[in-house]
Amino acid sequence: MSPASLTHSVADATPSAAPRRLLGLPGAISANLLNMIGIGPFITIPLALSAMGGPQALLGWLLGAVLCMFDGFVWAELGSALPRSGGSFHYLREAFGPQRLGRLFGFLYLWQVLLTGPMSIASGTVGFAKYATYLWPSLTGWEIAAMAAGLCLLNTVLLWRDVRSIERLSVVVSVIVIGACLWIICSGALHFDATRAFAFPPGAFTLNHGFWMGLGAATLIGVYDYGGYNNVCMLGGEVRDPQRTIPRAVLLSIPIVALLYIGLNLAILGVLPWQEAARSQAVVADFMQKLYGPLGGTIVAVLILIASWGSALVVLLGYSRVPYAAAVEGEFFAPFAKLHPRGGFPTLSLLFMGLASAAACFISLDNLIAALIVVQTLFQYTAQCFAVVMLRRQNRPGFRMPLYPVPVIVTLIGWLYIVTTSKPIHIAAGIAMVVLGSAMFLLLAKTRNRWPFAPATETL
């Protein structure tokens, strides 16, 4: 297909029906929690311990929780002001002008999601497959990748239905996941050894270059694990009473998960020496095996696999709405705007994300996580800090964050800190993606004779 055919008129891209608003507060919170409590903490606790060289890695989890809470205020206000499926695509377009700079920003977000969406989904399913090696140690590298890709395809099939049945499923899995976390935390509390948990190595809190770089790496890991509190914003067009439900779902999800994650860290560090935990390939299963024997390790491994499967499912659900939203606005292939005649879900958009995420499963997990956060931070997360300020000037009804603009400023500083302490290769990849996306946008705009090559008042 030629570049000129990438964009179509809005009239051509109009879907046969709008998505139905079926998702209530329990389903919205569950969609967030399942996204947040996936495989992340169960595989990244050792990475954070290694990054800071000791249990002071807890600072990364605390700093990540604070940053995400401030960022949650940004998402809550944006999601309340523009409750549409596709989330950030609409926030950026409307804030910066849908006929001017907003067109570029909306396109760049779509361009980013075509990469980060599959990467985010794949990071969960690759983590699932890696944790499965605790139960099946004979799994090899290609078998792990194939299992992860197969899970992406299975989830695509499971999401081929209306969102109401998915809401019921997500609530059930959320209860299982939170129950498993509480079991782990209570088990650790009963066997907690404070001396072991806080066995800080010499110089652990020396504020040198290594400390700040390690804290940045640990915070990046924490942000990755907390990520998902914005999932309900991606489904904004399918949420009931969105101006109340979306902010509540976002702002309740973050403290719930923060308490669970910090509890998990303390439980593990109070039983396993941090050096042993940092080397573990399945740290929670090893922890439970030490307390309850092989059966305990096996049971918790199964529960973690359920959590990671549920997380990958709702992440795919959220990202599958972005190409659909862009197509409705005439910024992507028109067939992506089509909805299932009975289920009311975007069919081609879901298929694309499912297949692309399956392909991304053949990238290493550490690169998936690091590149995902840096790419999103360089453009989307920082741009949204400015978007919420600009949308406020439009006096849209909805939630208003407290202490404005303090949360916006703190969030922006936090994102910049994470980027500047990341690996140069990941920073370069993020910058290259923005540059290439901008060049593609200009090429398409020139071909279609749109802004900035034509007056912004052009009828689309």
Side-chain angles (χ1 to χ4, degrees):
M1 184 172 292
S2 66
S5 62
L6 176 61
T7 54
H8 300 268
S9 69
V10 174
D12 292 339
T14 301
S16 56
R20 296 190 290 272
R21 293 190 178 275
L22 303 174
L23 199 63
L25 183 60
I29 294 177
S30 296
N32 283 356
L33 293 181
L34 277 180
N35 196 330
M36 299 170 78
I37 313 174
I39 196 65
F42 306 116
I43 60 173
T44 57
I45 288 175
L47 299 179
L49 290 170
S50 298
M52 292 207 73
Q56 66 273 24
L58 280 169
L59 290 174
W61 295 91
L62 290 170
L63 185 58
V66 171
L67 173 57
C68 289
M69 195 66 203
F70 281 114
D71 187 53
F73 286 120
V74 174
W75 279 98
E77 186 159 327
L78 290 171
S80 176
L82 290 166
R84 305 179 193 173
S85 295
S88 296
F89 176 79
H90 296 292
Y91 310 155
L92 298 174
R93 277 175 60 89
E94 294 298 323
F96 294 96
Q99 306 304 326
R100 295 181 179 272
L101 195 59
R103 292 184 64 87
L104 170 61
F105 277 37
F107 182 86
L108 286 177
Y109 172 68
L110 172 63
W111 179 262
Q112 169 196 289
V113 166
L114 295 180
L115 175 65
T116 60
M119 287 170 61
S120 181
I121 300 161
S123 68
T125 59
V126 170
F128 173 99
K130 282 185 174 293
Y131 225 89
T133 60
Y134 180 86
L135 302 176
W136 298 285
S138 61
L139 288 175
T140 64
W142 280 103
E143 289 169 336
I144 290 172
M147 176 182 288
L151 185 60
C152 290
L153 299 178
L154 173 63
N155 283 344
T156 303
V157 174
L158 293 175
L159 290 175
W160 202 265
R161 65 194 72 238
D162 68 71
V163 75
R164 183 160 25 194
S165 60
I166 298 167
E167 176 183 12
R168 293 191 291 267
L169 176 63
S170 67
V171 170
V172 172
V173 178
S174 292
V175 171
I176 295 173
V177 169
I178 293 175
C181 289
L182 292 176
W183 177 38
I184 296 165
I185 292 169
C186 290
S187 298
L190 294 173
H191 300 85
F192 186 77
D193 184 341
T195 303
R196 182 181 294 118
F198 302 111
F200 300 109
F205 298 100
T206 301
L207 303 182
N208 52 25
H209 180 263
F211 173 86
W212 293 114
M213 294 298 290
L215 180 60
T219 304
L220 183 149
I221 291 168
V223 167
Y224 166 76
D225 290 335
Y226 289 121
Y229 51 86
N230 57 351
N231 197 46
V232 66
C233 296
M234 310 288 283
L235 307 169
E238 298 166 73
V239 176
R240 293 197 303 270
D241 192 12
Q243 291 185 338
R244 298 180 61 189
T245 300
I246 290 176
R248 290 178 179 182
V250 171
L251 298 177
L252 287 173
S253 302
I254 298 167
I256 290 172
V257 173
L259 290 173
L260 289 174
Y261 282 0
I262 293 171
L264 284 172
N265 275 270
L266 288 173
I268 291 169
L269 292 173
V271 174
L272 296 178
W274 71 265
Q275 297 89 341
E276 180 181 341
R279 294 190 301 268
S280 176
Q281 297 297 313
V283 65
V284 177
D286 290 340
F287 158 80
M288 294 298 277
Q289 180 173 329
K290 186 167 186 176
L291 295 181
Y292 301 111
L295 180 60
T298 299
I299 292 174
V300 81
V302 171
L303 292 175
I304 289 171
L305 292 178
I306 293 174
S308 59
W309 161 71
S311 175
L313 184 76
V314 296
V315 174
L316 175 57
L317 172 65
Y319 275 115
S320 68
R321 270 50 180 177
V322 177
Y324 158 78
V328 169
E329 297 292 336
E331 299 294 344
F332 201 51
F333 300 112
F336 280 79
K338 301 299 182 182
L339 296 173
H340 191 275
R342 293 185 301 276
F345 58 90
T347 52
L348 188 57
S349 187
L350 175 59
L351 280 175
F352 171 82
M353 279 295 170
L355 294 174
S357 62
C361 290
F362 296 88
I363 303 173
S364 67
L365 182 62
D366 55 345
N367 281 320
L368 277 172
I369 292 174
L372 171 67
I373 297 300
V374 172
V375 169
Q376 287 180 317
T377 300
L378 270 171
F379 171 69
Q380 178 190 352
Y381 295 163
T382 53
Q384 285 185 178
C385 291
F386 296 100
V388 75
V389 175
M390 300 178 76
L391 283 175
R392 273 216 170 197
R393 298 176 180 175
Q394 300 178 14
N395 295 318
R396 293 175 180 268
F399 172 82
R400 290 291 183 267
M401 72 179 72
L403 302 177
Y404 176 86
V406 174
V408 178
I409 296 171
V410 173
T411 300
L412 186 58
I413 293 172
W415 293 137
L416 293 176
Y417 173 62
I418 285 179
V419 170
T420 55
T421 56
S422 300
K423 292 182 179 180
I425 188 172
H426 295 137
I427 298 174
I431 294 173
M433 187 170 183
V434 173
V435 171
L436 287 174
S438 299
M440 178 62 71
F441 171 82
L442 292 174
L443 173 63
L444 294 172
K446 180 67 174 177
T447 304
R448 298 285 295 174
N449 194 32
R450 292 180 171 180
W451 182 90
F453 302 102
T457 55
E458 176 192 10
T459 302
L460 300 180

